[in-house]
Amino acid sequence: MASHRKSRPTGPRVAGIRTPALATAALTSVALLSQTANATPSDDRPTLEEVEKKVDDLYRQAGSATEKYNAAKEKTSKQRKKVDGLLDDVAQRTQKLNDARDELGSFASAQYRTGASVPETATLLLADSPQDYFDQNQLMNRLTGRQKSAVDDYVTQQSETMKKRREATEGLETLTESQSDLKTAKSTVQKKLATARELLSELTAEEKARLAAIEKKKQEEAARKAAELAKQQQAREEAERKRQEEAAQQQGSGSESSGTSDGNGSSDSSGSSTPDTSNGTKAEKAIAFARAQIGKPYVWGATGPGSYDCSGLTQAAWKAAGVTLPRVTYDQVNAGTTVSVSQAQPGDLVFFYDDISHVGLYIGDGMMIHAPKPGAYVREESIFYDGESSIYSVVRPG
């Protein structure tokens, strides 16, 4: 008997047509894989570039906070000296006033013993407040002009000094509070830096390699810019040298025709370069000092000798050359003559960023010595280390 079931087709089967469940699963898997391929490892995790930018920004904030802290610390120190001086002045004036009161007390006692005045005179003179007996007209009439003038003078001085003392104390309290606020701000920045470092520590080996490559590329570009500047400066120096030689030759020819010796011309030439030589000698001393500090750690607020922040290093370097610079970058930038980057000479100060929060000591050929940032050490580096746009100005101390 023939079977009533249809026979299976002998032709080839089209995949998925007879297995809809498997086809759906396969399509779903493909979609998921596609989404996974297009998605970032984690939506909440910043990219490598974002991490790098965040760390750089935080380091810059730390540098700015350091300079503000240094400025507040310096002001506080000056204010404290002022207060100490006022306190000493108050003590001296108070002693003089007490001596005057003792003298007047003796005078009152003598009057009482001789019966020359009423007994209440002594009581008034021994009152707690000098003003209490100043208000008594009958007592003032009994005092000699010299005695009254002396007491008036000392009481006035004491009043003025006490007023200054209160003002200075209030000012010191304000500065102390400000300094405390800056310390708190600094602590906050340091916490952010720790967070950024933690992000860096969580990078994969591949990401760390990419970051190192990015940093290397930045350094290479900075070195290229430094070499370019060095070449420009060398060309200008050579042109200036030739110009001076030609000027000296012309001056020598003129001297011969007028019957004067060549020595006068050479003497004038050396005299005109004396200031530059003197400044160059100081710059050499400053650079020698800074170079000796290479390898020492950056510590915010430090001025040596074991560690430095950026402005602490430049201040100490020029101090070694006999030149006093202000403590912070905001003041150092006004402590000399501003020149263009192309005219920078060894010993000049190179300032960075719009808030003038960093400074380095130029050593020539587009390079500087500086204390870069927390976690780093004093080192020699291109002035273009953070890009040409980061350079604020160049200042020649003096």
Side-chain angles (χ1 to χ4, degrees):
M1 175 179 272
S3 173
H4 295 288
R5 290 180 298 178
K6 293 181 179 180
S7 61
R8 294 181 180 179
T10 58
R13 289 178 296 173
V14 178
I17 296 300
R18 297 182 58 82
T19 56
L22 290 175
T24 301
L27 291 173
T28 302
S29 299
V30 170
L32 289 174
L33 288 172
S34 177
Q35 292 177 4
T36 303
N38 293 330
T40 57
S42 173
D43 291 338
D44 295 333
R45 183 176 179 179
T47 65
L48 180 63
E49 290 74 14
E50 288 173 341
V51 171
E52 182 189 29
K53 184 178 185 304
K54 183 176 182 180
V55 172
D56 289 343
D57 289 345
L58 287 170
Y59 277 135
R60 195 173 303 168
Q61 292 173 25
S64 180
T66 296
E67 292 305 308
K68 290 179 180 178
Y69 170 81
N70 291 339
K73 183 178 179 181
E74 185 177 39
K75 289 181 180 178
T76 300
S77 178
K78 290 180 179 179
Q79 191 70 16
R80 183 175 290 111
K81 289 181 180 179
K82 181 179 179 180
V83 170
D84 289 343
L86 287 172
L87 290 175
D88 291 340
D89 187 58
V90 168
Q92 293 175 6
R93 293 176 187 274
T94 301
Q95 183 59 47
K96 290 180 179 180
L97 180 60
N98 290 337
D99 292 342
R101 292 184 63 184
D102 290 342
E103 181 181 356
L104 294 176
S106 299
F107 171 70
S109 298
Q111 283 186 319
Y112 176 69
R113 286 195 300 270
T114 59
S117 64
V118 294
E120 66 180 8
T121 301
T123 302
L124 290 171
L125 284 174
L126 296 175
D128 292 335
S129 173
Q131 191 60 44
D132 291 344
Y133 61 78
F134 275 174
D135 292 338
Q136 306 298 324
N137 292 331
Q138 65 274 22
L139 177 61
M140 295 303 296
N141 291 333
R142 296 189 184 98
L143 294 176
T144 66
R146 182 182 63 81
Q147 292 168 330
K148 179 179 180 298
S149 176
V151 175
D152 280 342
D153 180 55
Y154 292 133
V155 171
T156 299
Q157 289 186 37
Q158 185 190 46
S159 177
E160 292 177 352
T161 304
M162 290 299 291
K163 180 180 179 181
K164 291 181 180 179
R165 176 187 177 185
R166 288 192 298 270
E167 292 175 354
T169 301
E170 291 172 359
L172 180 59
E173 291 175 353
T174 300
L175 286 172
T176 301
E177 292 174 0
S178 177
Q179 186 175 0
S180 177
D181 292 341
L182 287 170
K183 286 182 179 180
T184 301
K186 179 68 176 181
S187 176
T188 301
V189 172
Q190 288 178 326
K191 290 179 181 178
K192 291 181 179 180
L193 287 173
T195 302
R197 291 193 189 100
E198 184 177 355
L199 288 174
L200 287 172
S201 68
E202 293 175 353
L203 295 176
T204 65
E206 181 182 355
E207 289 172 329
K208 290 180 179 179
R210 280 180 54 208
L211 186 61
I214 293 173
E215 183 62 27
K216 182 179 180 181
K217 186 176 181 180
K218 288 174 61 177
Q219 292 177 352
E220 289 174 349
E221 176 61 16
R224 186 189 69 78
K225 294 288 291 183
E228 183 179 304
L229 176 61
K231 188 179 296 185
Q232 293 174 356
Q233 291 179 334
Q234 289 171 3
R236 185 169 49 254
E237 289 173 0
E238 179 64 19
E240 177 63 19
R241 184 183 65 80
K242 290 182 178 179
R243 188 192 67 79
Q244 291 181 355
E245 287 180 353
E246 291 175 357
Q249 290 176 357
Q250 292 176 357
Q251 188 173 8
S253 299
S255 298
E256 289 176 359
S257 61
S258 61
T260 57
S261 65
D262 293 343
N264 293 335
S266 61
S267 174
D268 292 341
S269 176
S270 62
S272 63
S273 63
T274 299
D276 293 336
T277 302
S278 176
N279 186 71
T281 301
K282 292 180 179 179
E284 289 173 1
K285 291 181 179 179
I287 292 173
F289 178 91
R291 201 179 296 281
Q293 312 313 309
I294 291 178
K296 293 184 178 180
Y298 174 104
V299 175
W300 68 278
T303 57
S307 58
Y308 297 89
D309 62 19
C310 65
S311 58
L313 176 64
T314 52
Q315 183 190 45
W318 271 101
K319 182 179 180 181
V323 177
T324 300
L325 291 181
R327 173 64 183 91
V328 297
T329 54
Y330 318 123
D331 294 328
Q332 288 185 7
V333 74
N334 297 316
T337 303
T338 301
V339 299
S340 65
V341 174
S342 63
Q343 294 178 328
Q345 294 180 2
D348 289 351
L349 303 176
V350 185
F351 296 90
F352 297 86
Y353 313 118
D354 291 338
D355 60 357
I356 320 176
S357 57
H358 188 64
V359 62
L361 184 70
Y362 190 67
I363 60 174
D365 295 334
M367 305 295 288
M368 67 177 176
I369 296 174
H370 68 146
K373 58 188 177 181
Y377 298 84
V378 175
R379 66 193 183 203
E380 183 177 318
E381 195 165 24
S382 167
I383 64 172
F384 302 103
Y385 79 108
D386 201 19
E388 187 173 1
S389 62
S390 68
I391 299 177
Y392 179 83
S393 68
V394 178
V395 173
R396 187 161 300 147

